[in-house]
Amino acid sequence: MWLAGLAAAAGLAVEVWMGAPGARAWLPFAVLLPATVAGLAWLSRIRVAVADGELRVDDARLPVRFVADAVALDAEGRREVLGVAADPLAFVVQRPWIPGAVQIVLNDPADPTPFWVVSSRHPVELAEALLAARDAGR
């Protein structure tokens, strides 16, 4: 999506550059490319929050009463959890450029999902917030 969006913005800017002399020639590059980057960054964000007794990862919701444990992972731990021996039933939301993650082990007999793995820039804080919300709900 990023490559296609930037290529389309650059192509449009080149079209205007070829047909407009003077100051109007560089204006599309100064406006379209930063606006495209800002728009794509806004569209590709994923919000992670613990609120109202649930973990919210974009559109997915997990009631904290089903959280058995939350483990903060560093880059090596995330690689191990998501590596060759990864469970195919796990719910994974990862961003490769974010080194940390949280593994949320579930305690729901009706759900075949054994755990969630969610990328986070602050995995320790997210794990602590999840466990605190779970303990407060009990």
Side-chain angles (χ1 to χ4, degrees):
M1 187 163 97
W2 277 83
L3 185 58
L6 287 174
L12 184 59
V14 167
E15 287 291 324
V16 174
W17 170 71
M18 290 173 51
R24 290 180 292 173
W26 60 266
L27 191 60
F29 292 102
V31 173
L32 285 175
L33 294 180
T36 301
V37 168
L40 288 172
W42 183 77
L43 287 172
S44 66
R45 78 192 190 293
I46 291 181
R47 296 190 182 251
V48 177
V50 179
D52 301 327
E54 63 184 7
L55 169 66
R56 298 177 186 160
V57 181
D58 207 21
D59 292 338
R61 312 268 189 211
L62 174 67
V64 293
R65 68 179 180 270
F66 296 124
V67 173
D69 196 13
V71 180
L73 303 172
D74 59 359
E76 185 61 34
R78 182 181 60 119
R79 190 175 11 252
E80 185 176 323
V81 169
L82 298 177
V84 177
D87 192 326
L89 295 177
F91 177 80
V92 178
V93 176
Q94 74 146 340
R95 299 296 187 169
W97 56 88
I98 298 175
V102 176
Q103 180 182 20
I104 302 132
V105 181
L106 302 182
N107 184 18
D108 184 6
D111 188 359
T113 306
F115 59 87
W116 285 25
V117 177
V118 179
S119 291
S120 174
R121 293 192 198 313
H122 309 286
V124 174
E125 290 87 349
L126 178 59
E128 289 173 352
L130 263 171
L131 293 176
R134 177 199 65 186
D135 294 342
R138 288 185 177 169

PDB file of all heavy atoms in Angstrom, residues 11 14 16-17 23 37 48 58 64 72-73 98 100 105 108 114 116 120 123 126 129-130 135:
ATOM      1  N   GLY A  11       3.815  10.256  -9.224  1.00  0.00           N
ATOM      2  CA  GLY A  11       3.395  10.364 -10.623  1.00  0.00           C
ATOM      3  C   GLY A  11       2.531  11.588 -10.865  1.00  0.00           C
ATOM      4  O   GLY A  11       2.699  12.302 -11.869  1.00  0.00           O
ATOM      5  N   VAL A  14       4.782  14.647 -10.752  1.00  0.00           N
ATOM      6  CA  VAL A  14       5.563  14.779 -11.982  1.00  0.00           C
ATOM      7  C   VAL A  14       4.697  15.320 -13.110  1.00  0.00           C
ATOM      8  O   VAL A  14       5.153  16.151 -13.909  1.00  0.00           O
ATOM      9  CB  VAL A  14       6.212  13.427 -12.361  1.00  0.00           C
ATOM     10  CG1 VAL A  14       6.754  13.440 -13.769  1.00  0.00           C
ATOM     11  CG2 VAL A  14       7.315  13.081 -11.371  1.00  0.00           C
ATOM     12  N   VAL A  16       2.148  17.363 -12.898  1.00  0.00           N
ATOM     13  CA  VAL A  16       1.967  18.800 -12.697  1.00  0.00           C
ATOM     14  C   VAL A  16       3.272  19.537 -12.944  1.00  0.00           C
ATOM     15  O   VAL A  16       3.301  20.614 -13.543  1.00  0.00           O
ATOM     16  CB  VAL A  16       1.426  19.088 -11.276  1.00  0.00           C
ATOM     17  CG1 VAL A  16       1.365  20.572 -10.998  1.00  0.00           C
ATOM     18  CG2 VAL A  16       0.045  18.467 -11.111  1.00  0.00           C
ATOM     19  N   TRP A  17       4.396  18.951 -12.528  1.00  0.00           N
ATOM     20  CA  TRP A  17       5.715  19.552 -12.725  1.00  0.00           C
ATOM     21  C   TRP A  17       6.012  19.743 -14.211  1.00  0.00           C
ATOM     22  O   TRP A  17       6.570  20.761 -14.617  1.00  0.00           O
ATOM     23  CB  TRP A  17       6.775  18.655 -12.086  1.00  0.00           C
ATOM     24  CG  TRP A  17       8.180  19.031 -12.406  1.00  0.00           C
ATOM     25  CD1 TRP A  17       8.853  20.114 -11.947  1.00  0.00           C
ATOM     26  CD2 TRP A  17       9.070  18.324 -13.257  1.00  0.00           C
ATOM     27  NE1 TRP A  17      10.128  20.124 -12.452  1.00  0.00           N
ATOM     28  CE2 TRP A  17      10.279  19.021 -13.267  1.00  0.00           C
ATOM     29  CE3 TRP A  17       8.959  17.159 -14.012  1.00  0.00           C
ATOM     30  CZ2 TRP A  17      11.379  18.604 -13.997  1.00  0.00           C
ATOM     31  CZ3 TRP A  17      10.056  16.739 -14.731  1.00  0.00           C
ATOM     32  CH2 TRP A  17      11.242  17.464 -14.722  1.00  0.00           C
ATOM     33  N   ALA A  23       7.246  28.481  -9.773  1.00  0.00           N
ATOM     34  CA  ALA A  23       7.011  27.993  -8.420  1.00  0.00           C
ATOM     35  C   ALA A  23       5.993  26.860  -8.390  1.00  0.00           C
ATOM     36  O   ALA A  23       6.027  26.001  -7.519  1.00  0.00           O
ATOM     37  CB  ALA A  23       6.539  29.130  -7.533  1.00  0.00           C
ATOM     38  N   VAL A  37       2.370  10.601   2.717  1.00  0.00           N
ATOM     39  CA  VAL A  37       3.017   9.904   3.833  1.00  0.00           C
ATOM     40  C   VAL A  37       2.173  10.024   5.099  1.00  0.00           C
ATOM     41  O   VAL A  37       1.957   9.041   5.817  1.00  0.00           O
ATOM     42  CB  VAL A  37       4.449  10.447   4.061  1.00  0.00           C
ATOM     43  CG1 VAL A  37       5.022   9.956   5.377  1.00  0.00           C
ATOM     44  CG2 VAL A  37       5.347  10.050   2.907  1.00  0.00           C
ATOM     45  N   VAL A  48      -3.848   0.000  20.279  1.00  0.00           N
ATOM     46  CA  VAL A  48      -3.882  -1.042  21.302  1.00  0.00           C
ATOM     47  C   VAL A  48      -4.200  -0.353  22.617  1.00  0.00           C
ATOM     48  O   VAL A  48      -3.515   0.589  23.008  1.00  0.00           O
ATOM     49  CB  VAL A  48      -2.528  -1.776  21.388  1.00  0.00           C
ATOM     50  CG1 VAL A  48      -2.555  -2.805  22.495  1.00  0.00           C
ATOM     51  CG2 VAL A  48      -2.181  -2.414  20.054  1.00  0.00           C
ATOM     52  N   ASP A  58      -7.115  -2.754  17.582  1.00  0.00           N
ATOM     53  CA  ASP A  58      -7.847  -2.301  16.405  1.00  0.00           C
ATOM     54  C   ASP A  58      -9.315  -2.686  16.566  1.00  0.00           C
ATOM     55  O   ASP A  58      -9.989  -2.183  17.444  1.00  0.00           O
ATOM     56  CB  ASP A  58      -7.213  -2.859  15.136  1.00  0.00           C
ATOM     57  CG  ASP A  58      -7.468  -1.967  13.925  1.00  0.00           C
ATOM     58  OD1 ASP A  58      -7.775  -0.779  14.125  1.00  0.00           O
ATOM     59  OD2 ASP A  58      -7.358  -2.446  12.795  1.00  0.00           O
ATOM     60  N   VAL A  64     -10.817  -9.106  29.544  1.00  0.00           N
ATOM     61  CA  VAL A  64      -9.653  -9.421  30.378  1.00  0.00           C
ATOM     62  C   VAL A  64      -9.913 -10.590  31.321  1.00  0.00           C
ATOM     63  O   VAL A  64      -8.964 -11.167  31.848  1.00  0.00           O
ATOM     64  CB  VAL A  64      -9.163  -8.180  31.167  1.00  0.00           C
ATOM     65  CG1 VAL A  64      -8.619  -7.139  30.222  1.00  0.00           C
ATOM     66  CG2 VAL A  64     -10.236  -7.627  32.056  1.00  0.00           C
ATOM     67  N   ALA A  72       5.620  -9.927  28.594  1.00  0.00           N
ATOM     68  CA  ALA A  72       6.294  -8.965  27.721  1.00  0.00           C
ATOM     69  C   ALA A  72       7.445  -9.681  27.018  1.00  0.00           C
ATOM     70  O   ALA A  72       8.213 -10.420  27.643  1.00  0.00           O
ATOM     71  CB  ALA A  72       6.816  -7.786  28.537  1.00  0.00           C
ATOM     72  N   LEU A  73       7.555  -9.483  25.715  1.00  0.00           N
ATOM     73  CA  LEU A  73       8.592 -10.139  24.917  1.00  0.00           C
ATOM     74  C   LEU A  73       9.514  -9.097  24.304  1.00  0.00           C
ATOM     75  O   LEU A  73       9.056  -8.065  23.822  1.00  0.00           O
ATOM     76  CB  LEU A  73       7.959 -10.957  23.784  1.00  0.00           C
ATOM     77  CG  LEU A  73       6.944 -12.028  24.170  1.00  0.00           C
ATOM     78  CD1 LEU A  73       6.283 -12.587  22.913  1.00  0.00           C
ATOM     79  CD2 LEU A  73       7.619 -13.131  24.949  1.00  0.00           C
ATOM     80  N   ILE A  98       8.609  -3.065  14.894  1.00  0.00           N
ATOM     81  CA  ILE A  98       8.493  -2.858  16.342  1.00  0.00           C
ATOM     82  C   ILE A  98       9.079  -4.102  17.018  1.00  0.00           C
ATOM     83  O   ILE A  98       8.539  -5.199  16.873  1.00  0.00           O
ATOM     84  CB  ILE A  98       7.025  -2.648  16.762  1.00  0.00           C
ATOM     85  CG1 ILE A  98       6.468  -1.396  16.096  1.00  0.00           C
ATOM     86  CG2 ILE A  98       6.914  -2.555  18.274  1.00  0.00           C
ATOM     87  CD1 ILE A  98       5.008  -1.153  16.351  1.00  0.00           C
ATOM     88  N   GLY A 100       9.353  -5.090  20.258  1.00  0.00           N
ATOM     89  CA  GLY A 100       8.684  -5.681  21.408  1.00  0.00           C
ATOM     90  C   GLY A 100       7.301  -6.212  21.081  1.00  0.00           C
ATOM     91  O   GLY A 100       6.689  -5.854  20.080  1.00  0.00           O
ATOM     92  N   VAL A 105      -1.669 -15.174  27.141  1.00  0.00           N
ATOM     93  CA  VAL A 105      -2.132 -16.557  27.231  1.00  0.00           C
ATOM     94  C   VAL A 105      -3.587 -16.533  27.686  1.00  0.00           C
ATOM     95  O   VAL A 105      -3.930 -15.850  28.649  1.00  0.00           O
ATOM     96  CB  VAL A 105      -1.260 -17.357  28.224  1.00  0.00           C
ATOM     97  CG1 VAL A 105      -1.728 -18.801  28.304  1.00  0.00           C
ATOM     98  CG2 VAL A 105       0.202 -17.289  27.814  1.00  0.00           C
ATOM     99  N   ASP A 108      -9.818 -19.632  28.099  1.00  0.00           N
ATOM    100  CA  ASP A 108     -11.203 -19.708  27.636  1.00  0.00           C
ATOM    101  C   ASP A 108     -11.406 -21.067  26.969  1.00  0.00           C
ATOM    102  O   ASP A 108     -10.965 -21.280  25.839  1.00  0.00           O
ATOM    103  CB  ASP A 108     -11.489 -18.573  26.647  1.00  0.00           C
ATOM    104  CG  ASP A 108     -12.941 -18.544  26.198  1.00  0.00           C
ATOM    105  OD1 ASP A 108     -13.757 -19.329  26.734  1.00  0.00           O
ATOM    106  OD2 ASP A 108     -13.262 -17.725  25.321  1.00  0.00           O
ATOM    107  N   PRO A 114      -5.082 -20.307  21.474  1.00  0.00           N
ATOM    108  CA  PRO A 114      -4.333 -20.514  22.716  1.00  0.00           C
ATOM    109  C   PRO A 114      -3.766 -19.218  23.303  1.00  0.00           C
ATOM    110  O   PRO A 114      -3.667 -19.089  24.517  1.00  0.00           O
ATOM    111  CB  PRO A 114      -3.207 -21.450  22.296  1.00  0.00           C
ATOM    112  CG  PRO A 114      -3.014 -21.177  20.845  1.00  0.00           C
ATOM    113  CD  PRO A 114      -4.364 -20.794  20.307  1.00  0.00           C
ATOM    114  N   TRP A 116      -2.666 -14.727  22.245  1.00  0.00           N
ATOM    115  CA  TRP A 116      -2.534 -13.597  21.338  1.00  0.00           C
ATOM    116  C   TRP A 116      -1.098 -13.111  21.421  1.00  0.00           C
ATOM    117  O   TRP A 116      -0.481 -13.149  22.482  1.00  0.00           O
ATOM    118  CB  TRP A 116      -3.443 -12.455  21.746  1.00  0.00           C
ATOM    119  CG  TRP A 116      -4.901 -12.622  21.462  1.00  0.00           C
ATOM    120  CD1 TRP A 116      -5.589 -13.784  21.322  1.00  0.00           C
ATOM    121  CD2 TRP A 116      -5.848 -11.571  21.308  1.00  0.00           C
ATOM    122  NE1 TRP A 116      -6.913 -13.525  21.092  1.00  0.00           N
ATOM    123  CE2 TRP A 116      -7.095 -12.174  21.075  1.00  0.00           C
ATOM    124  CE3 TRP A 116      -5.778 -10.195  21.339  1.00  0.00           C
ATOM    125  CZ2 TRP A 116      -8.260 -11.439  20.864  1.00  0.00           C
ATOM    126  CZ3 TRP A 116      -6.930  -9.464  21.145  1.00  0.00           C
ATOM    127  CH2 TRP A 116      -8.154 -10.069  20.902  1.00  0.00           C
ATOM    128  N   SER A 120       4.084  -4.170  20.417  1.00  0.00           N
ATOM    129  CA  SER A 120       3.923  -2.976  21.231  1.00  0.00           C
ATOM    130  C   SER A 120       5.282  -2.307  21.428  1.00  0.00           C
ATOM    131  O   SER A 120       6.285  -2.984  21.638  1.00  0.00           O
ATOM    132  CB  SER A 120       3.337  -3.347  22.595  1.00  0.00           C
ATOM    133  OG  SER A 120       3.313  -2.226  23.436  1.00  0.00           O
ATOM    134  N   PRO A 123       5.967  -3.005  25.683  1.00  0.00           N
ATOM    135  CA  PRO A 123       5.359  -4.292  26.050  1.00  0.00           C
ATOM    136  C   PRO A 123       5.215  -4.505  27.555  1.00  0.00           C
ATOM    137  O   PRO A 123       4.233  -5.100  28.000  1.00  0.00           O
ATOM    138  CB  PRO A 123       6.306  -5.323  25.437  1.00  0.00           C
ATOM    139  CG  PRO A 123       7.583  -4.608  25.225  1.00  0.00           C
ATOM    140  CD  PRO A 123       7.240  -3.178  24.995  1.00  0.00           C
ATOM    141  N   LEU A 126       2.125  -2.595  28.718  1.00  0.00           N
ATOM    142  CA  LEU A 126       0.898  -3.236  28.242  1.00  0.00           C
ATOM    143  C   LEU A 126       0.603  -4.493  29.047  1.00  0.00           C
ATOM    144  O   LEU A 126      -0.547  -4.730  29.447  1.00  0.00           O
ATOM    145  CB  LEU A 126       1.000  -3.552  26.749  1.00  0.00           C
ATOM    146  CG  LEU A 126      -0.196  -4.262  26.125  1.00  0.00           C
ATOM    147  CD1 LEU A 126      -1.469  -3.444  26.296  1.00  0.00           C
ATOM    148  CD2 LEU A 126       0.057  -4.546  24.650  1.00  0.00           C
ATOM    149  N   ALA A 129      -0.647  -3.473  32.465  1.00  0.00           N
ATOM    150  CA  ALA A 129      -2.011  -2.938  32.388  1.00  0.00           C
ATOM    151  C   ALA A 129      -3.026  -4.064  32.223  1.00  0.00           C
ATOM    152  O   ALA A 129      -4.106  -4.036  32.828  1.00  0.00           O
ATOM    153  CB  ALA A 129      -2.126  -1.944  31.243  1.00  0.00           C
ATOM    154  N   LEU A 130      -2.696  -5.065  31.416  1.00  0.00           N
ATOM    155  CA  LEU A 130      -3.599  -6.204  31.229  1.00  0.00           C
ATOM    156  C   LEU A 130      -3.796  -6.979  32.519  1.00  0.00           C
ATOM    157  O   LEU A 130      -4.931  -7.305  32.896  1.00  0.00           O
ATOM    158  CB  LEU A 130      -3.022  -7.139  30.172  1.00  0.00           C
ATOM    159  CG  LEU A 130      -3.551  -6.993  28.766  1.00  0.00           C
ATOM    160  CD1 LEU A 130      -2.730  -7.823  27.817  1.00  0.00           C
ATOM    161  CD2 LEU A 130      -4.991  -7.384  28.706  1.00  0.00           C
ATOM    162  N   ASP A 135      -6.958  -8.399  37.316  1.00  0.00           N
ATOM    163  CA  ASP A 135      -7.062  -8.533  38.758  1.00  0.00           C
ATOM    164  C   ASP A 135      -8.137  -7.614  39.336  1.00  0.00           C
ATOM    165  O   ASP A 135      -8.793  -7.956  40.317  1.00  0.00           O
ATOM    166  CB  ASP A 135      -5.712  -8.255  39.415  1.00  0.00           C
ATOM    167  CG  ASP A 135      -4.677  -9.305  39.036  1.00  0.00           C
ATOM    168  OD1 ASP A 135      -5.083 -10.398  38.575  1.00  0.00           O
ATOM    169  OD2 ASP A 135      -3.470  -9.040  39.178  1.00  0.00           O
TER     170      ASP A 135
END
